[in-house]
Amino acid sequence: MSLSDLSPDALAALHSEQTTAYAALVDRGLKLDLTRGKPAPAQLDLSNALLTLPGAGEYTAADGTDCRNYGGGQGLPEIREIFAELLNVPVAQLVAGDNASLGVMHDTLVFSLLKGTVDSAGPWVKEPITFLCPVPGYDRHFALCEQFGITMEPVALGPDGPDLEAIRSRVADDPSVRGIWIVPTYANPTGSVYTEEVTRELVSMPTAAPDFRIFWDNAYAVHHLTDAEHPALDVLGLAAEAGNPNRVFVFASTSKITFAGAGVSFFAGSPANVSWYLQHLGKRTIGPDKVNHLRHARYLGSADGVRELMRKHRAIIEPKFAQVETILQSRLGDHEVATWTRPEGGYFISLDVPDGCATRVVALAKEAGIAMTAAGAAFPYGSDPRDRNIRIAPTFPSPDDVAAAIEGLCTCVLLASAEQQQA
Ligand code: PLP
């Protein structure tokens, strides 16, 4: 039953019960952290073989390249072959880079701002620029826009993609709209998976700006939590088919496959976009870390090697996601005070509490020693207009800590909701 249907007495009883539960929670003196989507130590242990690869005397790539030396701007073919299959892009259109993809996104944005894209009349920075931001979304995408003075406009995101009608009208009317952030597979934090239909729309819709770009961040392309294993769509092929081959910049990395921040990043695009990217990248670096490419290629072996490794990751984190679902359902299900996502992959669960309550819930949790990502973090400028969204990142803590944190969080949600109803 929803709290608004409770009699005043029943509501007062719930409030009093949750106030007592909250006092007991604070007394426990917990110190738990559910803020960032990081792999757990047990997940990192899966790739410890990397610490001794490529091994003494091993530095020669399959094509004879000496990985110890400069050069090879596009990255080693053997690592590109593995990830071209997984990301569903042609090997020739895939670049393997340095340790992580946020830097690649940063560079791509800066190259566009300072130099313009292959379809631009000039540098983006000379005019006001707007990016569309499906929400809730990834805070660091939004931080990049904020950093460079790009205006952000939120667009509602559903389970299989964003509000296409809203996007269609904005991109058709306004040439300042130059980009959109998309996390197509198991989006952060909603777990949304873009369908082929939605993707076709995005790559084909008419845009006022000839250089409109989709920043397609496939960070969780192989991070399945169920047997459904949604495959990466051939977004570059779909864009080319729609007559907009240059519309999409693809990003990915092995951060949550091998070592977070010590993996391999990827950029993919049309042949023209790849030449453009490599030309600018060539000014920034004389070549990527090919020794790292070699050790990753030797360790992962093949696309199937990656799939097998990801099933081991799943075995570690799936029980944590299941535990969050069980606790949310048992503590909040009957009260109709919240809704949450049931992701089939990725690293997050997105929790919506009653409008106007998220900030209070996060503050109550903090007071009880449970660190949650700041309310509003998944929105441009850190501002959730409905103040209702909370991101749950269950991968890093131990199963016991995840359970304790979510139990505590539920107490905070119930208390904040009861407070609001009584006010
Ligand atoms: N993209 C998304 C959607 C993410 O959620 C994250 C990390 O949380 C990243 C990119 C960061 O990737 P990388 O470690 O390759 O910089």
Side-chain angles (χ1 to χ4, degrees):
M1 182 192 280
S2 117
L3 294 198
S4 57
D5 295 334
L6 291 181
S7 67
D9 282 355
L11 188 60
L14 178 74
H15 187 207
S16 149
E17 182 188 306
Q18 295 308 321
T19 304
T20 308
Y22 182 68
L25 179 68
V26 173
D27 280 349
R28 288 180 65 190
L30 297 174
K31 222 172 168 301
L32 303 170
D33 190 338
L34 254 71
T35 55
R36 292 234 71 97
K38 294 198 295 190
Q43 291 178 267
L44 300 171
D45 286 346
L46 296 173
S47 294
N48 275 348
L50 280 176
L51 299 173
T52 49
L53 285 169
E58 293 291 326
Y59 47 78
T60 311
D63 65 357
T65 299
D66 184 338
C67 295
R68 299 169 304 176
N69 222 328
Y70 279 140
Q74 194 165 349
L76 278 198
E78 46 260 65
I79 193 71
R80 288 171 36 225
E81 274 157 21
I82 295 173
F83 280 89
E85 179 177 334
L86 296 165
L87 297 170
N88 203 356
V89 299
V91 184
Q93 289 167 236
L94 183 63
V95 178
D98 287 325
N99 70 314
S101 64
L102 190 64
V104 180
M105 294 181 238
H106 172 279
D107 287 351
T108 306
L109 199 55
V110 170
F111 298 156
S112 304
L113 286 166
L114 296 184
K115 294 294 193 180
T117 73
V118 292
D119 297 311
S120 304
W124 280 6
V125 78
K126 290 197 168 161
E127 290 158 17
I129 300 289
T130 301
F131 265 49
L132 304 179
C133 302
V135 291
Y138 178 39
D139 53 352
R140 290 183 189 271
H141 288 160
F142 305 155
L144 283 178
C145 282
E146 201 167 352
Q147 172 80 353
F148 296 118
I150 296 170
T151 302
M152 290 179 274
E153 283 182 19
V155 180
L157 177 61
D160 52 15
D163 179 346
L164 289 173
E165 208 41 63
I167 295 172
R168 210 177 280 120
S169 84
R170 286 299 288 127
V171 297
D173 291 349
D174 182 352
S176 89
V177 179
R178 298 294 173 83
I180 183 169
W181 289 107
I182 299 284
V183 183
T185 322
Y186 314 129
N188 172 356
T190 56
S192 308
V193 179
Y194 283 56
T195 60
E196 181 170 329
E197 202 183 346
V198 167
T199 304
R200 277 186 192 279
E201 283 288 317
L202 288 167
V203 297
S204 59
M205 58 178 61
T207 61
D211 53 354
F212 176 75
R213 290 291 179 268
I214 298 173
F215 283 63
W216 185 265
D217 177 6
N218 215 347
Y220 300 103
V222 291
H223 302 59
H224 317 292
L225 285 168
T226 74
D227 292 341
E229 303 206 348
H230 298 274
L233 295 171
D234 174 17
V235 66
L236 296 178
L238 294 175
E241 210 177 280
N244 297 310
N246 300 335
R247 183 172 289 186
V248 188
F249 292 144
V250 176
F251 308 95
S253 80
T254 69
S255 280
K256 284 150 189 169
I257 297 172
T258 58
F259 293 155
V264 180
S265 60
F266 298 98
F267 171 93
S270 64
N273 279 344
V274 169
S275 307
W276 169 87
Y277 176 72
L278 288 176
Q279 184 221 327
H280 293 302
L281 190 70
K283 301 292 182 292
R284 179 191 166 285
T285 174
I286 314 172
D289 181 348
K290 296 184 297 301
V291 175
N292 189 36
H293 292 178
L294 185 63
R295 70 179 180 141
H296 272 81
R298 297 256 169 107
Y299 170 56
L300 297 168
S302 64
D304 274 339
V306 175
R307 292 185 186 106
E308 202 182 308
L309 173 59
M310 294 317 293
R311 290 191 189 113
K312 294 182 185 155
H313 280 280
R314 173 181 160 186
I316 296 169
I317 62 175
E318 189 189 347
K320 300 184 188 184
F321 279 82
Q323 209 170 19
V324 175
E325 164 65 24
T326 304
I327 298 170
L328 290 176
Q329 188 57 44
S330 77
R331 294 285 313 278
L332 304 180
D334 286 347
H335 293 287
E336 294 178 22
V337 286
T339 56
W340 56 91
T341 54
R342 293 170 178 85
E344 295 187 329
Y347 261 54
F348 304 97
I349 290 163
S350 180
L351 173 71
D352 281 334
V353 297
D355 284 19
C357 279
T359 303
R360 176 70 178 147
V361 170
V362 171
L364 284 168
K366 185 174 177 208
E367 196 63 31
I370 303 166
M372 302 297 302
T373 310
F379 290 76
Y381 311 105
S383 171
D384 172 2
R386 295 175 64 176
D387 188 24
R388 65 167 183 166
N389 184 253
I390 296 172
R391 185 178 83 166
I392 298 175
T395 56
F396 185 78
S398 70
D400 284 353
D401 282 357
V402 172
I406 300 300
E407 283 285 355
L409 180 69
C410 288
T411 300
C412 299
V413 172
L414 288 169
L415 179 56
S417 310
E419 279 173 0
Q420 190 192 52
Q421 273 302 316
Q422 283 212 311

